[in-house]
Amino acid sequence: DSPTMPHLIMQGAAVFRWASFAMAKIAEATLDKTGITVDDLDVFVPHQANMRIIDAMARSMKLPSTVKIARDVADAEAAAQAFTKSGGAGVVLRFSMFYGPDSPFTLDMVKSVKRGYAPVFGGGDGFMSSIWHDDAAAAVFASLRVPAGAYNVTDNLPMRRREAFDLLANALGVKSPRIPPLWLTKVAGSLGDTMGRSHRLSNAKFRQASGWVPKVPSLREGWKLVVEGLNTGSAKASHA
């Protein structure tokens, strides 16, 4: 069969209900474990891009009006800066694309490449930056000892999308996938614009400040580990 153009499907109502209420319960459980209440909070930073969901979470948690709610990345980073000015150490970690053999997102990319298409917007010449799951987790711990500031958490080698997906196809033993045309990026609206941007990030500042070094230096090694993990049925591929 000839490959078909990949498409996105989202169960919007179900996602809204889960993000609005289940995530609020998770946040409340986290507060309980730390022994604090919503009244002790100065800032609430949800990892969510939908304003309606953020507002629903705030209502569900009964956040006081005195709590500053970060509604976008700019708000979140401003909150970190304000914390630093008040005498703390506000640290912002800007993660690149997460991937690993235990990631549903990565598995979807693998399936798409096997069908003959690269699941990307923005064409093949733009850059993509990535970070292996375990390296991202290690970076979070390493960030506990860095000075205040914003840091990119990414691997050592950003790649053009064309090269990155050719490497994945080669690791899978299939033909190089087709890159969706640029017009599709425009049709996708704000989603296409956001996901189609070229990201050529450097980890130099974070490495220097923390001593952290990614064990998987680039997608060149990482895709092989993904395929190894899938072939062995292991959720975690070794990078020893």
Side-chain angles (χ1 to χ4, degrees):
D1 296 336
S2 61
T4 58
M5 181 68 74
H7 57 280
L8 299 174
I9 297 176
M10 177 180 288
Q11 296 178 336
V15 171
F16 181 86
R17 287 193 299 271
W18 184 86
S20 300
F21 303 108
M23 287 299 295
K25 296 300 181 185
I26 293 172
E28 289 169 345
T30 302
L31 290 175
D32 287 342
K33 288 184 177 180
T34 57
I36 62 177
T37 70
V38 292
D39 295 317
D40 299 314
L41 297 178
D42 293 317
V43 181
F44 180 67
V45 186
H47 182 66
Q48 174 54 246
N50 185 298
M51 293 291 190
R52 291 177 61 231
I53 292 176
I54 292 173
D55 289 340
M57 287 180 64
R59 290 194 299 271
S60 179
M61 294 177 64
K62 296 181 173 59
L63 291 179
S65 59
T66 55
V67 176
K68 169 68 175 176
I69 301 174
R71 300 178 183 278
D72 54 29
V73 173
D75 275 353
E77 297 200 359
Q81 292 173 0
F83 182 66
T84 298
K85 289 180 180 178
S86 70
V91 174
V92 175
L93 299 181
R94 297 169 175 166
F95 292 95
S96 57
M97 181 192 77
F98 296 113
Y99 75 107
D102 54 344
S103 161
F105 177 70
T106 301
L107 297 181
D108 286 343
M109 286 198 291
V110 167
K111 291 176 183 177
S112 183
V113 169
K114 286 182 176 179
R115 295 189 186 106
Y117 280 94
V120 292
F121 290 113
D125 291 334
F127 282 88
M128 57 188 290
S129 296
S130 54
I131 185 69
W132 185 258
H133 278 169
D134 291 349
D135 285 331
V140 173
F141 283 99
S143 71
L144 298 176
R145 57 178 179 269
V146 300
Y151 302 87
N152 294 332
V153 178
T154 186
D155 63 20
N156 296 339
L157 183 64
M159 289 187 179
R160 295 191 186 275
R161 299 185 187 105
R162 173 78 276 170
E163 180 185 5
F165 283 98
D166 281 350
L167 286 170
L168 176 55
N170 183 65
L172 291 168
V174 300
K175 293 181 179 180
S176 293
R178 293 174 60 186
I179 301 288
L182 284 173
W183 61 260
L184 188 62
T185 301
K186 296 181 180 180
V187 171
S190 60
L191 174 65
D193 177 66
T194 300
M195 297 183 67
R197 295 173 186 170
S198 182
H199 292 129
R200 193 175 187 178
L201 305 179
S202 169
N203 62 20
K205 180 181 176 181
F206 187 62
R207 291 182 64 170
Q208 182 176 4
S210 67
W212 169 88
V213 177
K215 292 185 178 180
V216 181
S218 75
L219 285 171
R220 188 176 302 279
E221 298 80 15
W223 285 144
K224 294 177 181 178
L225 290 172
V226 167
V227 175
E228 175 189 326
L230 297 178
N231 289 341
T232 59
S234 172
K236 296 279 188 181
S238 169
H239 28 260

